[in-house]
Amino acid sequence: MSLRPQSSAARVLFTLDGPWQFQPDPDDVGEAAGWTGGLPAPRPIAVPASWNEQYGDLVHFFGAGWYQTRLDLPPRAPNSVAQLHIGSAFYRCDVWLDGEYLGGAEGGYLPAIFALGERARPGSRLVVRVDGRLSPTTVPSAGQPSDPRDVFASFDQQFPRVGFDFFPYCGIHRPVRVTVLPEHHLTDLTVVTDPEGSDGVRVRVRVERSDARPCTLRLSLCGQELTMALARQHDEATIGLTAPRLWSLETPTLHDLRAELWDGPHLLDSYQLPVGLRWVELRDGLLLLNGRPVRLRGFGKHEDFPISGRGLVQAVNVRDFDLLRWCGANSFRTTHYPYSEELLDLADQLGVLVIGETPAVGLWFGEGWERRLERCQELTAGLIARDKNRPSVIIWSLANEPMSDRPAAEPFFARLFACARALDPTRPLMLVSWRGVEEAAYAHADILGLNRYAGWYSEQGQIERGVARLKAELSAIHAHYGKPVMLTEFGAEAIPGLHAAPPEMFSEEYQAALIAAYLDTTEALPFVIGEHVWNFADFRANQHTTRVGGLNHKGVFTRDRRPKLGAHLLRKRWRGDTDGSPPTLLPA
Ligand code: BDP
């Protein structure tokens, strides 16, 4: 476990973001040719960003690419600990410093941390090899054998051939930083808030540190100070607060928890964690935040933008939150992988609820499922470790649309849900399915997510028949499992500027009409705890007959974030106003 890097009175942090040098390695010769010590013919590349759209010859390059930059470690205290932190690199990264191997990490969406040891010096050369190749055993997968039981077999025809409906952008996608920690340092904090009495809370803080050397812990939160002698590597402290300002959608108050380690008068380490005091429950079929029911209104999204690809662009994230507010959404799901920590900072600050999803999209249960289960357990543990202290994250989604029509699916999910529940008993667990009542793994989830495209992939052009089917299916799921259900995806493609009256498929009117009909249906069902439109914005997918121009056009905003009629419709429904949009174009 590791705390997110920050600078403090005892810690140093600097960024390596900016242009790096890059060389694609289509024949996979780099390691044998000694590129680990430096690249023979590199070209500039931006970090963070996907490599695919930075150069025309890299668009469909999904192999290994080598990055290098200079790393100047400042003079540091003896025994301090220098670490390299890569926010994310897709799909796998391996790191060398001055030709010496530091380690590797797989998965693509979670931070990778490498000890720099004593090697780093001013002018060191850092080399990172990023391998974008997916295989049948990776999560997510690509290239698995076709089987009619795996429903998305039709996507076998798409290019590139991957087991999911978004472009497999490659590269260093999130910030790269170097941190220097003091010798004796905090390694983890876990903060849990429980209600106490009529207006109080009890905040449990679990502290982990690098060693068991006796020292004093000082915690401060909301003006309360707590001092405690530590003699073990981990300990737990409790802070009681009367009538604190809670974190909620309306007032997303964050308090700074300051944690310090002291040796007599000497400060050993200091860390500041923003904390939102809130608790989440499922009770009587409702989702409750701080004891009050909340209905989730929002979207599935993607980290996706022209040229930067899946790389972090802070301005795009800020704009997305502005647009979430513009249309009155209160939540989103991090479909279909963990999003950047910088994005979740905004959710914490702005009071937006998040369903945090693992990269387990389109899981398949043929040969090698045990290996994929291990990967899923590691990825789930990594996601929980990274985001467990975030007030915005209220639910964990452990998989999206598994192809679970196979015997292995049941034991697979029994183990995966047990693993997540043991790691975080404070948040409900969700499984997002396309199979509906047939989804045996629903038995292990607390919230049953359903993705439904009746009126689009089925009942094509017939919205009324689509919603009739939707209602019947949702009711059957609830009757069978007796658990809260969420409509986690629904929608229709709309080519921006394409209009039709009466509405026809691919027109903005059809998309808006379908969304309206779905909301009419689900808002009347008391066991449905929310609905997320697919998708917030158009996004780059793979080339396929159903993906015009390589984009999935189910966004209610275009890829450059202009509203379609569907966005105006949502604003009207979720906020009750139209912002001057042409109401005559809205479906009645
Ligand atoms: C669902 C998937 C999502 C796709 C969407 C679609 O969860 O990733 O993009 O359908 O077809 O099956 O648009």
Side-chain angles (χ1 to χ4, degrees), residues 396-443:
W396 302 120
S397 164
L398 300 194
N400 180 77
E401 298 194 345
M403 293 183 269
S404 43
D405 184 15
R406 302 230 196 190
E410 157 67 15
F412 184 104
F413 281 115
R415 283 160 66 183
L416 185 58
F417 275 82
C419 155
R421 212 160 260 126
L423 291 167
D424 183 3
T426 73
R427 288 176 176 86
L429 302 179
M430 173 183 265
L431 180 78
V432 177
S433 169
W434 62 271
R435 299 185 70 211
V437 79
E438 304 285 302
E439 183 67 73
Y442 269 165

Side-chain angles (χ1 to χ4, degrees), residues 152 155 165-166 302 333 336 361 400-401 451 453 457 489 493 534 539 547 552 554:
F152 299 121
F155 270 83
D165 178 30
F166 50 95
H302 267 296
R333 175 165 61 112
H336 297 304
V361 55
N400 180 77
E401 298 194 345
N451 293 350
Y453 290 93
Y457 291 124
E489 282 183 29
E493 309 239 348
W534 188 258
F539 59 91
R547 297 290 174 262
N552 182 318
K554 294 195 188 71

Side-chain angles (χ1 to χ4, degrees), residues 47-289:
V47 170
S50 299
W51 69 53
N52 306 80
E53 292 180 29
Q54 296 192 55
Y55 289 97
D57 63 327
L58 298 181
V59 175
H60 290 117
F61 178 63
F62 306 106
W66 293 73
Y67 289 79
Q68 80 181 19
T69 194
R70 195 182 138 114
L71 190 160
D72 291 301
L73 201 65
R76 54 188 175 120
N79 302 324
S80 60
V81 178
Q83 292 176 342
L84 176 76
H85 189 280
I86 300 181
S88 75
F90 194 85
Y91 167 77
R92 180 189 166 87
C93 64
D94 288 278
V95 178
W96 290 262
L97 187 74
D98 294 327
E100 207 173 315
Y101 185 58
L102 299 188
E106 181 181 337
Y109 300 106
L110 289 169
I113 298 157
F114 304 94
L116 289 170
E118 298 308 313
R119 309 171 184 99
R121 52 180 176 76
S124 278
R125 175 173 283 164
L126 183 68
V127 171
V128 180
R129 175 183 185 270
V130 177
D131 193 337
R133 280 171 292 191
L134 299 173
S135 75
T137 48
T138 58
V139 177
S141 311
Q144 59 260 40
S146 277
D147 187 304
R149 284 172 294 179
D150 300 336
V151 68
F152 299 121
S154 71
F155 270 83
D156 285 357
Q157 304 304 320
Q158 68 176 358
F159 173 70
R161 183 175 177 252
V162 290
F164 45 87
D165 178 30
F166 50 95
F167 192 76
Y169 279 113
C170 305
I172 300 180
H173 285 156
R174 297 186 191 146
V176 182
R177 297 180 177 124
V178 173
T179 177
V180 182
L181 308 174
E183 178 183 6
H184 305 287
H185 56 267
L186 293 158
T187 53
D188 199 19
L189 293 166
T190 310
V191 180
V192 174
T193 307
D194 297 310
E196 195 169 55
S198 59
D199 65 349
V201 298
R202 203 164 59 99
V203 183
R204 282 179 287 140
V205 183
R206 185 182 156 86
V207 178
E208 293 183 34
R209 54 200 183 104
S210 52
D211 53 83
R213 167 193 163 122
C215 73
T216 303
L217 169 72
R218 282 194 205 161
L219 291 178
S220 94
L221 180 68
C222 300
Q224 290 246 19
E225 304 269 340
L226 182 147
T227 304
M228 182 173 160
L230 300 185
R232 294 183 299 170
Q233 219 173 325
H234 48 79
D235 242 301
E236 193 164 307
T238 302
I239 301 174
L241 299 170
T242 313
R245 287 170 62 195
L246 299 181
W247 187 95
S248 68
L249 288 170
E250 301 75 31
T251 53
T253 310
L254 294 174
H255 306 277
D256 280 328
L257 170 73
R258 214 177 56 243
E260 292 175 349
L261 300 179
W262 288 82
D263 179 10
H266 303 293
L267 178 68
L268 298 177
D269 192 14
S270 156
Y271 195 89
Q272 203 153 301
L273 182 74
V275 166
L277 305 172
R278 63 100 182 101
W279 57 99
V280 180
E281 296 158 275
L282 281 180
R283 207 193 308 145
D284 302 330
L286 295 174
L287 176 68
L288 306 180
L289 181 68

